Every structure is written in C-alpha cells, then in structure tokens.
Amino acid sequence: MAITFEKVNFSYGAGTTLAHAILHDVTVNMPSGQVTAIVGQTGSGKSTLVQHINGLLKPTQGRVVVDDFELTARTKEKQLMQLRQKVGIVFQFPENQLFANSVLEDVMYAPLNFGADKVAAQAAAETALRRVGVAEALWQKSPFELSGGQMRRVAMAGTLASDPSVVVLDEPAAGLDPKGQAELLQLVLELKSLGKTVVFISHHMDHVVAVADQVVVMHDGRVVAKDTPAVLFNRDLDWFKKMKLDLPKAGQFAEKLTAAGMKLPERPLTLTQLATAINTEVGHE
Amino acid sequence: MTQAIKINNLNYQYDDTQTLFDDFNLTIESGQWVALVGHNGSGKSTLAKLVLGLIAANAGEITVFGVPLTVETVHEIRGQIGMVFQNPDNQFVGATVADDVAFGLENQQLPSNDMPSRIDEALNIVGMQAFKDREPHTLSGGQKQRVALASVLALAPKIIILDEATAMLDPDGRDTVMQTLQALKARFGKALTLITITHDMDEATLADRVVVINDGQLILDGTPAAVFSQRDLMHDNGLALPFAGELAAQMQPAPANYLDERELIQWLSRLKK
Ligand SMILES: Nc1ncnc2c1ncn2[C@@H]1O[C@H](COP(=O)(O)OP(=O)(O)OP(=O)(O)O)[C@@H](O)[C@H]1O
Ligand SMILES: Nc1ncnc2c1ncn2[C@@H]1O[C@H](COP(=O)(O)OP(=O)(O)OP(=O)(O)O)[C@@H](O)[C@H]1O
Ligand SMILES: [Mg+2]
Ligand SMILES: [Mg+2]
C-alpha cells in the first residue's frame, strides 16, 4: 500500500492561540512494498509525520493518502477505523500503548477488534509474541511488570498480530539489546518480503543502511532529502553536520582511517564493506 | 578507597515464581564509571531500583557511602543519587520544563536565589533552554530525554545512574551527553560515581569498568578491554562488541589482542606501511 503526503502542514493546537506549526509543506511518497526510513535530528517532526499515517493526527492543511484512503482535516473519527485496519504503529514509548491485564490479552486486542474470533486472535497473538522473542513465561504477566525491552517487544507483537499492510515503527530499536536489534532488522526485511509497506524511524544510520530502500531526511518540519541509502550517505560530510546526522559507523571509521593515512577507494556503509575494503588494501601492500 | 555502593548477598524476586537476584554481590568504588550491560530482562533496571530503595530486597544488604539502606536512611540515600529512568515520562513532575528541573532542587533546599541559574545552566548543557515553558509531555522523545538529564545534572548528585538515558537521542544529543559525562568526571574525580545502563557497547567503552549481568547473575566484570575480549561470551549473552571490536574480528589477519577504536586504527595504519 503506497503512502502519499501532499502539501501537508500540521500545527499542534491548530486554531488556538497556542498553535505550534510543526510540519511545513510536506510532500513525500512512500512506495508500496518498500521500506522507507525517516531520519532527522531531535524535534525535526518524524513522530508527528508518521502519526498522520494512521490518522492519530490529521493534517491542518493538505492531505495524506494511504492506499485508497484519503485523510484531511475534515476526516471524521468514525471513518478512521478503516485506516487503522490497514496501518499498525509501534510508538516511540511503547508503555503508552500497553493497557490490558495480561501480555497475551494485550496482543490479542487488535485482531479481536478487527473481527477475528477468539481462537484465531489467540493464535495470531502467540505467533506474533514468538516472532519478537517474548518467552511464554511472560504471557500471563501484566504488561506493566516487564522490563523496558520486553515491553517494546510486546508492543511490537500487538501491532503485528492484526497483520496490517502498513507497519510503522517509531524508533523501534531503542531499548532492545544488541541481539534484539539484529532480530528487529531481520523482522523488517521479512515484513517487506511479505509485501508490506514499512516506515521506520531511526537515529541509527547502521540500521537504516541495513533495511531501507529509501531514506527521507527531516529538518525543522520539512523534508530536505529523499534518496536511496547508497546515494544519501555519499553526500558531503558538511551536509551531515548541518543536518545533525551521522554517517553509518563504517563510514565514520573510514573517515578516521583516512585521517590516519589509509584512504579507502569508496566510502563503506556497512561493517562487511569496510572489512573487505581494509583487507584488500592491506593485502595489496 | 571509599565505596560508593556495596551490594552484599542480595536476594530479590518480584513474585514467588522466580528468583531474579540470588546471592548477588557488587561493589562500586567512589569515582568509578561503571557501564552495566545485559540482555533485555536481565535485571539492570531492577538493580538500580533496589539501590534507590524504590523496591526492597528480600535479603542481603545494600550500603551507599557506608550507610546501610534501611527505611530510616532511604531518604538521605536517595538525596545523593540522581537517576534518569528508562522512560522519561515516568519521571516528569513539573507543569513546565523549568518546574521539572526546579523540583529536585527544591527538595535539596537550595537557596532560592541560586535556583534560576542552576536551572538555566542545566538546560543549557542539554540544549533545551528554549523549551523552558513547555509542558514536558508535549516534547519529542529525544527532547524528553534531554530534559530528564538536565533535571539530574542540576542536582549535582554524588552518584548518577542513567538507565538507557541516551536510547532516543540523536547523534548530536548522544555526543553532548557523553562529553558532558566525561567533563563532569574530569571535574569531580573521586567525588562523582557514574553508572550507565546501556545497550550501546560503544558507549560502554567510555566507562572505567563494564559489568555484564544475565538473569540476575554477574557474568563478566572488568575493564572494557577485558570484557570485550570475550567475544563469544558476549554474543552468547545477547550482546555484542563495540564497532571496532566487531570489525577487528573480520580482519585478516586479526589482531592478537582486543583493541579499542584508536588502537585498531593505529594497528591498521602500521600494517599499511
Ligand atoms: N503536543 C505537542 N504540542 C506542541 N508541540 C509539540 C507537541 N508534540 C510535539 N511537539 C513539538 O513538535 C516538534 C516535533 O516533534 P516530534 O515528536 O515530531 O519530533 P521527532 O522528530 O520525532 O523527534 P525525536 O527524534 O526527539 O523523537 C518538537 O519540537 C516538539 O517539541
Ligand atoms: N514490576 C515488575 N513486576 C514483576 N516482574 C518484573 C517487574 N519489573 C520487571 N520484572 C521482571 O524482572 C526481570 C528483570 O527486569 P528489569 O527491568 O530489571 O530488566 P532490564 O535488565 O532492565 O531489561 P531491559 O534491558 O529490557 O530494560 C524481567 O524478566 C522482568 O519481566
Ligand atoms: Mg520522535
Ligand atoms: Mg531496563
């Protein structure tokens, strides 16, 4: 399912004296079946942007189209059910989206809400919980009696269980241990192979390089770049400084190597590329 | 050496079904920077809450600067520890960002003339002075984490515990925090003890000591170099090495010993010659 933002402006408290204009004239398209990463400094408007995709926020001006659903300032609350069935979001603070008495009930909520019977909802919930590595011993616990990383995994399972066509992940790696982070990246690629459209917010450029087909860069509420990772991360270093962005770690390491006298032919974006380039360079001598 | 925190024969379980800490021991010297790492659910946040006296041990003893943690001393002990919780939403108490930073200072009974400058200074460090009058819950994720840090920095506590306090910061914010911690350590030396709970192994390399736990048990404890030499053990525990460590493992030939980033770059540039 494709997602299109057309000339979207958004203000918190629109129409009041406290209005804060946050998004400015955002036009961007996130193609169906691809992974779009959204990056940008703190406060640049990433979370605000993606909350439009399931209608949690509505554009003050302009429109957002998800598949055949059009969202504008005038969209009525009761129409949003249709949109929410297509779009699952995992929020930046997963605690805020947990609510049920047990982990299992929490994850069953969305499938039940969208019409699955109890047996099917439970099966979907169990599959999703296993998929994100939540041990069965935790399923009957209260979701509020979990560690931070466990809560994030449960929130993720809650989103996956209803099998939405669009999956939006707001900073999903935060709080996951290194193994959990690697598994998360695998999961994103798996969702893509199932034909889902994935939107992925991250401050970790290594994660972006690992999964994204395209990267949208936000700065002060505007989209300032949209490119493939390969093109984007070959821009000038000054541009990254200005956008307060990092290169992937492999690129940063290569810059330090250059400063120490070893220049690699190309800027590497992954650890494997970097290792191969260094091994070749050293082997040549 | 004075001991900032001493945990002796600690036992703790949330419920009857499973013991989390069973006879756990850990001593942290005053002035040390300890990175506490471990997989999700290994007990890191629980340990921090036990030290703060937010939850009570089933058995064993925790002492902070030689004072045993009891119902009578918990208030005094908490006054010496500044903690940033894993979810900053759980920590905001003020109606505005400035109130929030002021809250802890009021508890410290600081002369009220000194307060505005302390608040400004702390917000300045984290780059949030322009947001002074905002309601904390309307901030972005990274802005919340910055404010939570400012609230702790303003208190200038003897012990700072950061529970994944950089997980949602942008690269700029992360650098600022790490530089601030290094500057504070340089300024206060033995008078400041730091515990950073993190999943970012590059961040952990900045500490004097890395402590690895798994399901309430101490797995590894040593300098970053000693701990990160144990690549297989780290991976088996759901963890990883810092970027340079993972890179070194892919080098042909690989260096014989664990090298940190600076050492690896030196080693590589010598190979080239
Ligand atoms: N409810 C609100 N009222 C007023 N301003 C808000 C509200 N929520 C967010 N903002 C402001 O909107 C801007 C964009 O916030 P947003 O949460 O979209 O940023 P972000 O790019 O997701 O940042 P981060 O990386 O820190 O999560 C920020 O300056 C924030 O303070
Ligand atoms: N309030 C609670 N009630 C019952 N069990 C809890 C509670 N809080 C945490 N636990 C359990 O205790 C164990 C340790 O949790 P803790 O929060 O200390 O882990 P952590 O190491 O901080 O993990 P993370 O990296 O995910 O934050 C976990 O298995 C968790 O499910
Ligand atoms: Mg955000
Ligand atoms: Mg924790």
Side-chain angles (χ1 to χ4, degrees), chain A residues 44-117:
Chain A
S44 57
K46 303 179 297 296
S47 298
T48 304
L49 182 81
V50 302
Q51 287 175 54
H52 283 75
I53 301 175
N54 82 337
L56 204 70
L57 299 176
K58 291 185 277 186
T60 309
Q61 282 167 356
R63 60 178 206 146
V64 180
V65 182
V66 180
D67 194 26
D68 56 359
F69 189 98
E70 183 193 59
L71 180 78
T72 69
R74 288 171 303 282
T75 306
K76 297 274 175 298
E77 203 59 31
K78 63 172 192 284
Q79 299 170 274
L80 291 175
M81 179 79 164
Q82 203 195 330
L83 180 59
R84 296 202 174 132
Q85 197 154 3
K86 301 177 197 277
V87 181
I89 294 201
V90 183
F91 293 101
Q92 195 163 4
F93 294 102
E95 273 104 318
N96 305 348
Q97 89 191 84
L98 302 172
F99 61 95
N101 288 324
S102 77
V103 165
L104 190 63
E105 281 173 52
D106 204 290
V107 178
M108 282 170 66
Y109 176 80
L112 283 176
N113 193 30
F114 295 131
D117 65 34

Side-chain angles (χ1 to χ4, degrees), chain A residues 138 141 144-150 175, chain B residues 14-15 20 38-47 86 164 199:
Chain A
L138 301 176
K141 276 183 86 162
F144 301 101
E145 295 179 348
L146 297 177
S147 80
Q150 290 167 343
Chain B
Y14 280 105
D15 44 49
L20 183 54
H39 68 76
N40 290 138
S42 56
K44 305 178 298 293
S45 300
T46 304
L47 197 60
Q86 199 162 356
E164 292 186 49
H199 290 300

Side-chain angles (χ1 to χ4, degrees), chain B residues 21-231:
Chain B
F21 289 103
D22 186 11
D23 207 12
F24 182 85
N25 297 286
L26 182 69
T27 300
I28 297 175
E29 305 294 340
S30 179
Q32 231 172 24
W33 178 348
V34 175
L36 181 59
V37 306
H39 68 76
N40 290 138
S42 56
K44 305 178 298 293
S45 300
T46 304
L47 197 60
K49 286 178 200 161
L50 284 161
V51 169
L52 269 179
L54 293 173
I55 48 181
N58 299 110
E61 191 183 51
I62 297 175
T63 55
V64 177
F65 295 117
V67 178
L69 178 66
T70 64
V71 186
E72 286 76 40
T73 60
V74 66
H75 194 72
E76 172 199 339
I77 285 176
R78 260 184 230 163
Q80 301 179 317
I81 306 177
M83 166 133 178
V84 177
F85 291 88
Q86 199 162 356
N87 181 349
D89 279 333
N90 297 343
Q91 138 166 39
F92 293 133
V93 285
T96 66
V97 165
D99 283 353
D100 206 80
V101 181
F103 181 79
L105 290 174
E106 278 161 10
N107 281 355
Q108 271 195 351
Q109 285 146 10
L110 197 78
S112 52
N113 305 352
D114 293 356
M115 283 206 1
S117 65
R118 284 276 279 275
I119 295 169
D120 281 340
E121 198 186 336
L123 286 174
N124 219 352
I125 292 174
V126 299
M128 287 298 291
Q129 62 283 34
F131 293 79
K132 254 167 89 165
D133 300 323
R134 276 279 289 280
E135 291 170 48
H137 76 263
T138 70
L139 299 173
S140 82
Q143 290 167 342
K144 283 178 182 172
Q145 280 200 320
R146 287 169 186 241
V147 171
L149 275 160
S151 300
V152 164
L153 293 179
L155 297 173
K158 288 196 206 156
I159 300 175
I160 295 181
I161 305 179
L162 304 182
D163 193 352
E164 292 186 49
T166 60
M168 281 176 203
L169 293 182
D170 59 5
D172 203 48
R174 205 176 283 245
D175 286 351
T176 309
V177 171
M178 288 305 130
Q179 280 162 17
T180 305
L181 294 183
Q182 285 171 308
L184 286 173
K185 282 282 301 166
R187 180 162 143 214
F188 290 105
K190 291 259 175 292
L192 174 66
T193 306
L194 258 177
I195 301 173
T196 50
I197 298 173
T198 183
H199 290 300
D200 181 338
M201 300 302 138
D202 283 303
E203 207 174 288
T205 56
L206 299 175
D208 304 314
R209 173 179 173 197
V210 180
V211 171
V212 183
I213 63 172
N214 183 350
D215 297 336
Q217 296 199 351
L218 200 121
I219 301 289
L220 283 170
D221 177 3
T223 60
V227 166
F228 293 130
S229 298
Q230 304 285 329
R231 183 160 183 260

Side-chain angles (χ1 to χ4, degrees), chain A residues 42 153 175 177 249 256 279, chain B residues 40 87 170 202 238 252 261:
Chain A
T42 286
R153 289 166 196 249
D177 56 37
K249 284 181 179 166
K256 290 175 191 164
N279 285 334
Chain B
N40 290 138
N87 181 349
D170 59 5
D202 283 303
Q252 295 159 352
E261 184 186 83

